[in-house]
């Protein structure tokens, strides 16, 4: 069943996956900037803004050289500009001073960086460094709970080990496709398996979904 689900996800993603700048150019700098901007801002807004940002700043060294006030001005249209400029400057300082201006490719090192949490570390490892790391946000957790009928043991499903276990199984068996599997799950949760009125008729998982099976048997 796992392989069938994986194939269905990948097939659906090829035709329906969303296109974002950080997916087309998943280098570590672009992904890191995107993840900072995506906090509390929609993916569509970040996707529109990021190309302008990258025209002005394309490396850690450039961020390091730029005064924080100038960076905040540039980030103004997206909101939270002072907060984001401060985080970018803090990160750039540590990366220049301790990592030779390079973004590290190990989870432990990434988690030592200021403002980098588990989600961003995993996004970098999966999207930029090609490692088989699962990524679980609220949308992905919902897809997994519905497909496998998983009951989360924590009140936040995205933090439940049962959910992570399934997400990890999906990416571990196909390490080279891990980024695409993660993107497919993120998109399926955002576009099809919505919290209310999931579009099960359009879903590639509808032949393997516990949510549907229960609906039809109860
Ligand atoms: S079949 Fe329906 S409930 Fe199951 S994953 Fe797809 S959209 Fe979600």
């Amino acid at each position: 069943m796992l392989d069938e689900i994986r194939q269905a996800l990948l097939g659906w993603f090829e035709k329906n996956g969303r296109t974002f700048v950080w997916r087309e150019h998943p280098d570590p700098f672009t992904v890191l900037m995107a993840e900072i901007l995506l906090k509390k801002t929609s993916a569509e807004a970040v996707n529109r803004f990021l190309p302008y940002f990258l025209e002005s700043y394309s490396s850690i060294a450039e961020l390091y050289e730029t005064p924080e006030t100038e960076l905040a001005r540039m980030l103004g249209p997206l909101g939270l500009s002072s907060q984001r400029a401060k985080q970018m400057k803090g990160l750039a300082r540590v990366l220049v001073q301790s990592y030779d201006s390079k973004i590290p490719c190990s989870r432990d090192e990434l988690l030592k960086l200021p403002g980098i949490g588990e989600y961003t570390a995993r996004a970098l490892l999966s999207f930029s460094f090609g490692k088989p790391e699962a990524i679980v946000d609220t949308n992905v957790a919902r897809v997994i709970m519905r497909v496998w009928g998983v009951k989360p043991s924590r009140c936040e499903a995205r933090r439940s080990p049962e959910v992570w276990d399934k997400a990890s199984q999906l990416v571990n068996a196909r390490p080279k496709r891990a980024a695409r599997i993660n993107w497919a799950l993120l998109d399926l949760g955002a576009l099809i398996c919505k919290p209310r009125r999931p579009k099960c008729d359009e879903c590639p998982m509808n032949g393997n979904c516990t949510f549907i099976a229960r609906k039809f048997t109860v």
Side-chain angles (χ1 to χ4, degrees):
M1 174 169 163
L2 207 57
D3 205 45
E4 214 173 304
I5 286 176
R6 204 180 289 113
Q7 290 308 330
L9 266 175
L10 288 169
W12 177 84
F13 181 73
E14 291 309 319
K15 292 186 195 137
N16 304 287
R18 294 177 294 179
T19 306
F20 295 124
V21 176
W22 56 95
R23 290 185 181 178
E24 288 175 350
H25 306 283
D27 59 276
F29 182 75
T30 301
V31 171
L32 180 57
M33 293 302 107
E35 290 300 329
I36 291 172
L37 299 177
L38 281 164
K39 291 197 179 87
K40 301 196 176 162
T41 304
S42 74
E44 289 70 24
V46 173
N47 196 44
R48 282 193 297 273
F49 177 80
L50 194 56
Y52 298 106
F53 180 86
L54 293 172
E55 266 176 31
S56 302
Y57 311 107
S58 59
S59 69
I60 292 296
E62 276 177 355
L63 277 188
Y64 180 69
E65 300 293 337
T66 306
E68 192 171 314
T69 46
E70 189 185 318
L71 201 51
R73 249 198 320 276
M74 169 69 175
L75 292 165
L78 216 54
L80 302 170
S81 54
S82 308
Q83 198 179 313
R84 284 169 167 153
K86 195 177 170 71
Q87 187 190 356
M88 286 178 182
K89 285 295 291 179
L91 259 173
R93 199 172 305 117
V94 173
L95 288 168
V96 167
Q97 291 170 356
S98 307
Y99 292 88
D100 195 21
S101 301
K102 294 193 175 67
I103 297 166
C105 61
S106 94
R107 186 171 171 276
D108 289 349
E109 293 302 319
L110 285 168
L111 289 174
K112 286 182 196 163
L113 299 174
I116 299 296
E118 187 71 32
Y119 187 94
T120 302
R122 283 175 175 270
L124 279 160
L125 292 170
S126 168
F127 306 156
S128 303
F129 297 116
K131 302 203 174 173
E133 294 280 348
I135 291 177
V136 177
D137 69 355
T138 312
N139 287 335
V140 172
R142 184 173 57 256
V143 173
I144 287 174
M145 285 191 299
R146 286 176 172 171
V147 171
W148 277 280
V150 170
K151 293 218 182 317
S153 57
R154 302 212 184 152
C155 62
E156 264 192 292
R158 69 193 170 93
R159 300 194 190 283
S160 289
E162 303 80 5
V163 171
W164 276 97
D165 184 48
K166 291 294 179 201
S168 300
Q169 285 176 28
L170 275 173
V171 296
N172 281 343
R174 293 286 298 276
K176 289 193 177 143
R177 308 288 278 166
R180 296 187 92 71
I181 292 168
N182 281 323
W183 288 332
L185 279 168
L186 288 163
D187 287 1
L188 195 78
L191 303 174
I192 301 288
C193 192
K194 294 172 177 256
R196 289 184 188 184
R197 297 191 192 156
K199 301 175 184 173
C200 300
D201 290 348
E202 299 171 33
C203 182
M205 319 282 252
N206 60 16
N208 289 299
C209 182
T210 305
F211 180 85
I212 288 200
R214 286 188 183 155
K215 209 161 75 168
F216 286 123
T217 53
V218 174

